Amino acid sequence: MGRFDGRVVLVTGGTRGIGRAIAEAFLREGARVAVTYVSSEDRARELEKLGILAIRADVSNRDEVRRAVELVRERLGDLSILVNNAGVMYLMPFEDYDEGKFDMMWRVNVKGIIYTTLEALPQLRRTRGVIINIASNAGIGTALEGTTYYAITKSAVIILTKRLAYELGKYGIRVNAIAPGWVETDMTTAGRSPEDVERTKALIRSRTMLSTTGVPSDIAGAVLFLASDDARYITGQVLLVDGGRVDYLTHGV
Ligand code: NAP
C-alpha cells in the first residue's frame, strides 16, 4: 500500500531535476502521475516507460496548459495533487537588467502557476485537492549574487501561495509552498565548468548550518509530506528546505 494509492498528481516541469524526483516519488507511493515539459523529448519517453504520463505543454501558454490539464483528466481521472514546479532562472546583477530574460522568468515562474492553478481548479474542487508551489529561498531574501530578478518572481510565488490558501480554503483545498535552497540540477550547473560548480557548492556549504548542498530527493520528501494527509491541517505555509542557510539579507524578523 502506497501513501498516494490511486491519487492523480500533476507535476509541471517533471522531466528533469526536482520535478522529476517529485514525480518518481509519487509514482513509488502508488499515485497516477503526469508531468509537463517543454523540450526534453527523450526524457519524456523514459518517463512514459515508467508509467508516467508526459505531456508537452509550456506553462506560460494558457491554451497548452488547458489542453494538458484536460488530458490528465481524460487519461488518469480528476487531479487531486498539483505541484507547480516548472521554473527558469537567469542570473543577472540588478544593473544588467535584461527585459526579455526577466519577462521569461515572470511568465514561467509566476504566470505559469496562475494558469495551471486556474485550469486545474474545477478538478481540484471536486477532489478537495492539494496544491504545492515550488518557490525558492531566494524569494525570502538570500545573498547569492545574480539572483535579484529571479528572487522577485519567487517572492511573488510565496505571496500567491498565501493568497490562494486564503481564497481556496473554502473548497477544502490546501495550498503550501516549498522554498528550496541550493539543489544540484541542470538549473544550477548547466553551462558551468565543474570547477565553477564546485566553487559555488563550497560557498553554499560555508553558508549552511548542515554544511551540505541539496539533492532533488530532499525536496521531493517535503512535497510528499505536504501533499499527504499528515499535513491535513497545514495550509498557507512556506517550508524552507535549505539545510539551514544563514545568508538571509533581512536583519531581524
Ligand atoms: P531544471 O533542472 O532546470 O528543470 C526544469 C524543469 O522545468 C524541466 O523539466 C523543464 O522541462 C521544465 N520547464 C522549464 N520551463 C518550462 C515551461 N515553460 N513549461 C513547462 N515546463 C518547463 O530545474 P530545477 O532545478 O529542477 O528547478 C525546479 C523548480 O525548483 C523551479 O521552479 C526552480 O525555480 C526551483 N528551485 C530550484 C532550486 C535549485 O537549486 N535547483 C532552488 C530553489 C528553487 P524541459 O526538460 O523540457 O526543459
Side-chain angles (χ1 to χ4, degrees):
M1 280 281 285
R3 259 191 298 175
F4 296 97
D5 275 345
R7 306 272 290 279
V8 178
V9 181
L10 172 61
V11 183
T12 65
T15 38
R16 294 184 277 126
I18 291 171
R20 182 163 182 155
I22 296 168
E24 291 186 2
F26 274 117
L27 189 73
R28 281 194 298 274
E29 296 265 12
R32 297 146 72 82
V33 183
V35 300
T36 57
Y37 66 100
V38 276
S39 60
S40 294
E41 287 302 337
D42 291 351
R43 291 192 176 92
R45 299 293 80 79
E46 279 167 30
L47 290 172
E48 297 268 18
K49 282 190 193 131
L50 297 176
I52 291 174
L53 174 62
I55 307 167
R56 187 174 184 138
D58 180 345
V59 290
S60 69
N61 178 321
R62 189 156 176 189
D63 290 334
E64 291 185 22
V65 171
R66 183 179 303 119
R67 282 195 289 275
V69 168
E70 188 50 29
L71 190 64
V72 173
R73 192 190 60 76
E74 278 169 29
R75 298 275 297 275
L76 306 181
D78 272 341
L79 256 183
S80 64
I81 300 165
L82 169 63
V83 184
N84 284 310
N85 164 79
V88 289
M89 176 177 72
Y90 298 109
L91 296 177
M92 36 176 177
F94 177 73
E95 292 174 80
D96 293 347
Y97 178 66
D98 179 313
E99 188 92 29
K101 287 179 178 166
F102 181 64
D103 284 352
M104 177 65 120
M105 289 196 285
W106 187 259
R107 287 205 309 274
V108 176
N109 300 358
V110 182
K111 286 187 167 182
I113 295 185
I114 295 172
Y115 294 159
T116 313
T117 304
L118 282 170
E119 295 301 335
L121 200 52
Q123 298 180 42
L124 292 170
R125 283 179 61 170
R126 288 195 287 273
T127 58
R128 298 176 74 79
V130 181
I131 300 171
I132 292 146
N133 297 326
I134 306 301
S136 168
N137 66 350
I140 294 160
T142 45
L144 203 59
E145 296 302 319
T147 57
T148 295
Y149 292 104
Y150 171 75
I152 291 169
T153 69
K154 292 299 187 175
S155 174
V157 173
I158 289 171
I159 194 63
L160 183 56
T161 300
K162 294 179 186 184
R163 300 301 307 210
L164 286 174
Y166 178 59
E167 293 210 35
L168 305 183
K170 60 179 178 284
Y171 306 125
I173 297 174
R174 296 189 296 110
V175 188
N176 292 292
I178 305 274
W182 198 94
V183 176
E184 188 158 2
T185 66
D186 291 346
M187 179 176 280
T188 45
T189 61
R192 303 176 63 183
S193 68
E195 297 73 32
D196 190 24
V197 170
E198 195 37 57
R199 258 195 306 277
T200 302
K201 288 173 76 168
L203 176 71
I204 299 291
R205 283 196 296 270
S206 75
R207 296 174 172 186
T208 301
M209 294 175 199
L210 293 176
S211 303
T212 185
T213 52
V215 292
S217 59
D218 293 327
I219 310 306
V223 169
L224 266 66
F225 163 66
L226 285 176
S228 76
D229 292 338
D230 289 339
R232 64 175 286 278
Y233 206 45
I234 301 176
T235 197
Q237 300 304 302
V238 181
L239 179 59
L240 272 166
V241 183
D242 70 352
R245 273 279 284 281
V246 294
D247 58 326
Y248 288 95
L249 291 167
T250 47
H251 301 278
V253 198

